Amino acid sequence: MQDSLTLQLVGEFIGTLVLILLGDGVVAAVSLKKSKAEGAGWIAIALGWGLAVTLGIYCSAFLSPAHLNPAVTVGMAIAGVFPWSSVIPYIIAQTLGAIVGAVIVWLNYYPHWQETDDSAAILGVFATGPAIRNYFFNFLSEFIGTFVLVFALLAFTRGKFTSGLNPMVVGLLITAIGFSLGGTTGYAINPARDLGPRIAHQILPIANKGKSDWAYSWVPIFGPFAGGAVAALAYLLIP
């Protein structure tokens, strides 16, 4: 049993690493100076994150359920389809994977940080931030986005997909959330996705970086946890 859990944790670590490497990577490509993708815009970012989730799931689903998201893990536990005893280990593995993924993004774009003098854009590669800072509505936005995510994931468990297709459907779901709901806060909808890279931003010697905006950091942590939990409770109300 312990060996099984260890393999699952490895899967969550690898999957979240890939998720952040490709997701933060597309933001870096669009945001950093002298990148060939500089200025590609929101469409590139939303599509890139959808693909990042899809490929993160494919890279880890043979080892674990491929939650790659503490809010999903907690939501699945509330819904009764995941053991509570594994929740904290999963969250730790996911967060560590997110940190390592962010470090690799920093290395991949190493010369570009020096060329980029916008510290807000640099932070935006690693962590989310609001278009308009209003903590209540920022929290609400993260709550709604994660509610949609977790409720849909639970609903998918009742449907039948062709073998191997589920990760693509989840990627489309993330892309839809990004296009439709993500313009307010950058749609973390995943505590590890924001916290892990924000920690990396804090500790790495990134050229031209500013502060890590820890005053905002609680929003993309607790908003997704709350949204995922309520989504699971709503799902349980359905016969």
Side-chain angles (χ1 to χ4, degrees):
M1 185 59 133
Q2 187 60 41
D3 289 343
S4 175
L5 177 59
T6 300
L7 288 175
Q8 290 175 43
L9 297 179
V10 170
E12 292 297 311
F13 175 88
I14 292 172
T16 312
L17 187 160
V18 172
L19 165 66
I20 297 302
L21 174 59
L22 300 181
D24 280 5
V26 71
V27 181
V30 170
S31 302
L32 299 182
K33 294 297 182 182
K34 298 187 178 179
S35 159
K36 291 182 180 292
E38 182 184 355
W42 189 252
I43 292 176
I45 289 173
L47 289 175
W49 270 105
L51 291 169
V53 170
T54 297
L55 295 172
I57 295 172
Y58 276 126
C59 286
S60 59
F62 71 101
L63 290 169
S64 76
H67 294 169
L68 318 186
N69 182 337
V72 171
T73 298
V74 170
M76 294 295 172
I78 291 172
V81 296
F82 185 76
W84 278 105
S85 61
S86 298
V87 167
I88 296 301
Y90 263 54
I91 291 174
I92 293 171
Q94 292 156 356
T95 304
L96 290 175
I99 293 172
V100 175
V103 171
I104 299 173
V105 171
W106 170 63
L107 292 171
N108 187 74
Y109 284 94
Y110 190 86
H112 295 268
W113 311 107
Q114 188 65 53
E115 300 292 333
T116 306
D117 56 10
D118 185 344
S119 62
I122 290 173
L123 176 59
V125 171
F126 294 88
T128 60
I132 299 174
R133 188 171 295 249
N134 181 310
Y135 287 121
F136 174 80
F137 286 103
N138 301 152
F139 180 95
L140 183 62
S141 182
E142 290 292 336
F143 177 98
I144 292 170
T146 315
F147 181 99
V148 172
L149 170 64
V150 173
F151 189 88
L153 291 177
L154 288 166
F156 291 168
T157 65
R158 296 197 181 190
K160 293 183 179 180
F161 294 98
T162 301
S163 178
L165 185 62
N166 188 266
M168 296 181 64
V169 176
V170 176
L172 288 173
L173 171 62
I174 296 295
T175 302
I177 292 172
F179 278 141
S180 301
L181 304 173
T184 54
T185 62
Y187 69 114
I189 58 175
N190 180 340
R193 173 266 174 274
D194 191 273
L195 178 60
R198 197 181 297 270
I199 291 171
H201 179 273
Q202 176 72 45
I203 63 178
L204 288 172
I206 304 166
N208 295 320
K209 76 171 182 179
K211 295 182 179 180
S212 300
D213 195 13
W214 288 103
Y216 178 78
S217 64
W218 67 272
V219 173
I221 294 174
F222 293 106
F225 272 131
V230 174
L233 292 172
Y235 174 80
L236 289 174
L237 295 176
I238 301 174

